[in-house]
Amino acid sequence: MSTSPETSHASPRETTEGTVYTVTGGDWDEVVQSAARADDERIIVNMGPQHPSTHGVLRLILEIDGETVTEARCGIGYLHTGIEKNLEFRNWTQGTTFVTRMDYLTPFFNETAYCLGVEKLLGITDQIPDRATTLRVLLMELNRLSSHLVCIATGGMELGATTIMIYGFRDRELILDLFELITGLRMNHAFIRPGGLAQDLPPGAMDQLRDFVKTMKKNLPEYDKLATGNPIFKARMQDVGYLDLTGCMALGATGPVLRSAGLPHDLRKTDPYCGYEEYEFDVPTTESCDSYGRFLIRLEEMRQSLRIVEQCLDRLEPGPVMVADKKIAWPAQLAMGPDGLGNSLDHIKNIMGTSMEALIHHFKLVTEGFRVPAGQAYAAVESPKGELGVHLVSDGGTRPYRVHFRDPSFTNLQAMAAMCEGGQVADVIVAVASIDPVMGGVDR
């Protein structure tokens, strides 16, 4: 069927393939007016979702006039995993295997926030053993180091500073080796469980942790030498991705983005959890409101995390790592078998052979899970990217009724337009890198 171009608001254009009509709907007057307003110099470009500088599958829709960005928008959802919905079909303990996969660079923070919420609903917050709480802090601060190292390494790579990338990933490997030693996995650990931890530190872990602290204290000054005073690095970062305190407050930005605007807001200080009020550390801030300030903050936060890790090692006392209530504590005593997996065979023999009640509890806990009293709770932790909060709702059953995460990457990404509009296309990459979004946390 042929349609007259005039009746369908179409404008013809000759191409090598023949005449092409661009058809639009709407009122003719509006079409004419918008065509009159259009500036031929402005074009729309897609940066991503596969662009190497968009930190995963983030799509940036940029309207550019020459090299200047006039409008910037985010397109998200390419990494949606349905984790929050999946949690409604698993018991409370199994939930940790899902949440650890959200922001995959900060798995221990996802797990801790979730478990703190579950423990608040259960009313057992004060019953968590001290050793378990201290180890949670230790793992989170190591995780803060590894997350910031990835941010600095990939940010450096995007600027062409490949040496920073090599150094960053070199040091992160040391941390992932420790995670593998302690939990058995480099990421997606599901090690922090409601009530405590999956298991205690393995033999030799304390010595390796202390060796790591010494190594990192030696390595961290190298980042200063490479980048902090480097005039090329500073010229590329200073006054780029500018967002002042008013903008941060309006957009709900937290973490290094907020602290680069001069506000020392850190949940570890303002609303302590896991005993953070007993640790000595500083909250670094700058008033530059730019990408360079956020780089300096992350560098200083890594030094502060090392301070906290040292204090954790000094505070660790022998003791249990799981709550005493056997109706909540998952009865796992893991041991390396011939296949490299599994529960301790002695523990299984003990359950199977000595107590019918223990066997029943084991069976019910593993197949059904424990019941959580009806109600709702919100728990928040200071992740490397900002406030990571979780809202849990229970209907009194063995599975969550609803779980929703307030992921800092998602909230901070709102600042992208404010940071980029009016700047250069090349500076978009710097601004996004300074936000440090992880799409696993954004899309969930």
Side-chain angles (χ1 to χ4, degrees), residues 229-291:
N230 186 328
I232 300 171
F233 189 84
K234 288 170 76 173
R236 196 73 181 79
M237 302 275 277
Q238 285 179 329
D239 298 323
V240 173
Y242 185 88
L243 187 69
D244 62 13
L245 184 56
T246 307
C248 288
M249 299 298 280
L251 294 166
T254 53
V257 177
L258 177 61
R259 292 192 281 275
S260 71
L263 187 69
H265 176 74
D266 188 313
L267 290 175
R268 294 174 295 173
K269 292 283 191 185
T270 58
D271 190 10
Y273 53 93
C274 291
Y276 265 110
E277 64 273 17
E278 297 172 20
Y279 293 87
E280 288 184 17
F281 65 98
D282 301 319
V283 179
T285 61
T286 68
E287 294 188 358
S288 60
C289 306
D290 61 7
S291 299

Side-chain angles (χ1 to χ4, degrees), residues 78-223:
Y78 296 94
L79 199 61
H80 178 57
T81 48
I83 284 173
E84 288 182 351
K85 192 66 183 171
N86 271 308
L87 289 170
E88 298 170 20
F89 299 92
R90 298 290 187 278
N91 68 44
W92 293 93
T93 300
Q94 288 172 328
T96 56
T97 61
F98 279 100
V99 300
T100 189
R101 288 168 162 78
M102 293 191 312
D103 182 340
Y104 39 79
L105 293 183
T106 62
F108 288 117
F109 291 91
N110 300 332
E111 295 172 26
T112 302
Y114 173 78
C115 291
L116 289 176
V118 176
E119 288 156 9
K120 195 180 282 189
L121 282 173
L122 285 167
I124 60 168
T125 303
D126 296 333
Q127 299 172 32
I128 309 303
D130 289 342
R131 185 174 176 85
T133 301
T134 306
L135 284 173
R136 285 179 177 182
V137 172
L138 173 77
L139 290 168
M140 281 192 285
E141 293 308 320
L142 287 172
N143 204 171
R144 192 182 310 278
L145 275 159
S146 68
S147 177
H148 283 343
L149 284 167
V150 172
C151 176
I152 290 170
T154 54
M157 177 183 65
E158 287 153 13
L159 297 177
T162 49
T163 310
I164 294 177
M165 181 199 74
I166 293 165
Y167 281 25
F169 280 107
R170 173 202 66 185
D171 291 339
R172 178 173 177 254
E173 280 299 308
L174 302 175
I175 300 173
L176 295 186
D177 287 343
L178 288 173
F179 288 167
E180 188 173 5
L181 171 72
I182 294 167
T183 73
L185 293 163
R186 289 160 59 87
M187 56 196 296
N188 303 338
H189 313 277
F191 185 72
I192 296 169
R193 307 272 177 88
L197 305 174
Q199 60 181 350
D200 206 343
L201 290 179
M206 292 288 283
D207 293 335
Q208 292 202 31
L209 284 162
R210 290 193 188 278
D211 290 343
F212 164 76
V213 171
K214 287 179 193 168
T215 305
M216 274 307 291
K217 280 186 172 180
K218 186 165 75 11
N219 289 355
L220 273 180
E222 293 175 352
Y223 296 89

Side-chain angles (χ1 to χ4, degrees), residues 348-362:
I348 292 170
K349 284 175 187 170
N350 182 44
I351 289 176
M352 298 285 281
T354 59
S355 168
M356 176 59 79
E357 288 75 16
L359 182 59
I360 291 169
H361 277 309
H362 181 96

Side-chain angles (χ1 to χ4, degrees), residues 340-401:
L341 299 168
N343 279 307
S344 156
L345 290 176
D346 293 335
H347 182 60
I348 292 170
K349 284 175 187 170
N350 182 44
I351 289 176
M352 298 285 281
T354 59
S355 168
M356 176 59 79
E357 288 75 16
L359 182 59
I360 291 169
H361 277 309
H362 181 96
F363 182 78
K364 281 182 72 67
L365 264 179
V366 172
T367 56
E368 184 183 86
F370 50 78
R371 293 188 178 275
V372 172
Q376 57 183 328
Y378 178 79
V381 300
E382 184 70 32
S383 96
K385 296 155 180 64
E387 179 175 340
L388 172 66
V390 55
H391 178 224
L392 295 140
V393 183
S394 171
D395 59 2
T398 58
R399 301 183 302 191
Y401 177 77

